[in-house]
Amino acid sequence: MTDQRQDKPDKAAGANLDAVFAMAREQVPQPPDALMQAIVKDALSVQPPAGNVVALSPRRGVFAEIWATMGGLAGAAALAACLVVGFGLGFVAPAPSTDDAVSVIVDGADLLDDIQLDMQLGG
Amino acid sequence: MPPEQQGETSDEALLRLYAQGDGRAARILTARLSPLVYGLAMKLLQDQAEAEDVTQEAMLRLWKNAALWRAGEARISTWLYRVCSNLCMDRLRRRRAIGLDEIAEPRDDGPDAASRMQLDQRVAALYKALEDLPERQRVAVVLRHIEGLANPEIAEILEITVEAVESLLARGRRALKVLLGSQREELGFEE
């Protein structure tokens, strides 16, 4: 009974509120012409040039981003050329062999012995 | 409805055309979408100059994002409502922070509010009462009860759950009933 007495004014308040909302919905503010013109002017001032391809598809993946970052095809070609040259140098360049190193040491020792011998002979 | 607003071309297709350099698409989208944004901004801010600024800013953001727009992610109108709501909430918070006394133009109730939008006295009282609600409650109530949007779309606009929207609306309605109830006689409401 008490709840019913409380419900009645609440329902009336709710109905009043809904009636005002309905009135508010009927009053639609219209933007002034000057604003509409300003918006179109803005649109044209920042518009991409005609024929622009639009990225409406999902964004590029990680590999596509890397590809773009390293300069696309030109960048990839330069990188490949560097790799080929690096490998080439690795294969072609003569590295000193162990035998050569040993002979240098032995030759050096012989030379020292010759010098010592000359000194002993008083030469 | 003006001829340029007619037609079956979707907002998304028009935005794509705009991004490809079609100037006519910009005019059609402006005619179609600006009134939505301006209407919401006016209802939230109750200030024509501010509503115009917000509308122009929201539309500018649309143009700048046109080339990056991802198909099928969100409706353009929903996205614009979100931008507009955020811009309005920023301004409403700033107003609160400044304080009503420091606002250059006094915000009177009754006749002045009504004359700004040529409103019925009861609708003017509604907008005056809306000013007393917290920003998010105000936005939710306006979107639901005046703009007529569904709760899931409001949730998308405010980036909250549908349950949170329902809660905002319930609290907003309760507060409005109290605020308008205190003026029941002057406004000629039924008891």
Side-chain angles (χ1 to χ4, degrees), chain A residues 10 12-18 20-25 27-32 35-36 38-40 42-44 46-59, chain B residues 16 18-23 26-27 30-31 34-35 38 42-43 48 52 55-56 59-60 63 67 69 71 117 119-120 122-123 126 141 145-146 173 176-177 180 189-191:
Chain A
D10 191 56
N16 288 334
L17 188 56
D18 287 333
V20 184
F21 281 141
M23 292 165 74
R25 277 195 292 274
Q27 295 170 338
V28 182
Q30 288 301 318
L35 173 63
M36 301 291 272
I39 291 169
V40 171
D42 283 349
L44 299 177
V46 297
Q47 186 173 30
N52 181 46
V53 177
V54 189
L56 283 174
S57 55
R59 283 188 177 176
Chain B
R16 196 182 313 143
Y18 164 76
Q20 289 170 336
D22 186 337
R27 291 186 179 85
T30 300
S34 297
Y38 179 76
M42 270 299 282
K43 288 162 194 167
Q48 186 173 334
E52 288 184 24
T55 307
Q56 196 167 358
M59 292 301 291
L60 184 60
W63 307 134
W69 191 266
M117 282 178 69
L119 297 177
D120 176 277
R122 280 175 286 189
V123 179
L126 170 67
V141 167
H145 295 293
I146 304 179
R173 277 185 70 91
L176 287 175
K177 281 183 204 172
L180 292 177
F189 283 142
E190 291 176 19
E191 289 203 33

Side-chain angles (χ1 to χ4, degrees), chain B residues 71-86:
Chain B
E73 275 213 347
R75 284 168 59 193
I76 292 172
S77 58
T78 303
W79 183 87
L80 274 173
Y81 271 133
R82 184 188 302 155
V83 172
C84 177
S85 298
N86 288 336

Side-chain angles (χ1 to χ4, degrees), chain B residues 3-114:
Chain B
E4 61 183 0
Q5 276 182 267
Q6 294 174 1
E8 297 298 317
T9 315
S10 69
D11 294 344
E12 206 168 80
L14 284 168
L15 194 62
R16 196 182 313 143
L17 287 171
Y18 164 76
Q20 289 170 336
D22 186 337
R24 203 175 59 95
R27 291 186 179 85
I28 299 171
L29 282 171
T30 300
R32 198 184 276 182
L33 299 172
S34 297
L36 292 181
V37 182
Y38 179 76
L40 178 61
M42 270 299 282
K43 288 162 194 167
L44 292 173
L45 298 170
Q46 294 293 296
D47 183 297
Q48 186 173 334
E50 282 200 283
E52 288 184 24
D53 286 348
V54 164
T55 307
Q56 196 167 358
E57 173 63 27
M59 292 301 291
L60 184 60
R61 289 188 191 186
L62 177 67
W63 307 134
K64 286 183 174 174
N65 280 290
L68 303 171
W69 191 266
R70 286 191 269 177
E73 275 213 347
R75 284 168 59 193
I76 292 172
S77 58
T78 303
W79 183 87
L80 274 173
Y81 271 133
R82 184 188 302 155
V83 172
C84 177
S85 298
N86 288 336
L87 289 171
C88 289
M89 282 193 282
D90 285 346
R91 284 170 183 259
L92 293 170
R93 285 191 196 108
R94 217 175 302 146
R95 272 186 200 168
R96 259 189 232 274
I98 291 169
L100 292 178
D101 293 342
E102 294 175 46
I103 290 174
E105 194 177 333
R107 302 181 58 76
D108 296 343
D109 57 357
D112 283 351

Side-chain angles (χ1 to χ4, degrees), chain B residues 118-145:
Chain B
Q118 299 179 332
L119 297 177
D120 176 277
Q121 192 190 4
R122 280 175 286 189
V123 179
L126 170 67
Y127 282 119
K128 179 69 189 157
L130 281 166
E131 287 178 10
D132 290 335
L133 300 188
E135 290 84 16
R136 289 171 83 81
Q137 268 184 43
R138 188 193 313 199
V139 173
V141 167
V142 168
L143 288 172
R144 177 74 186 90
H145 295 293

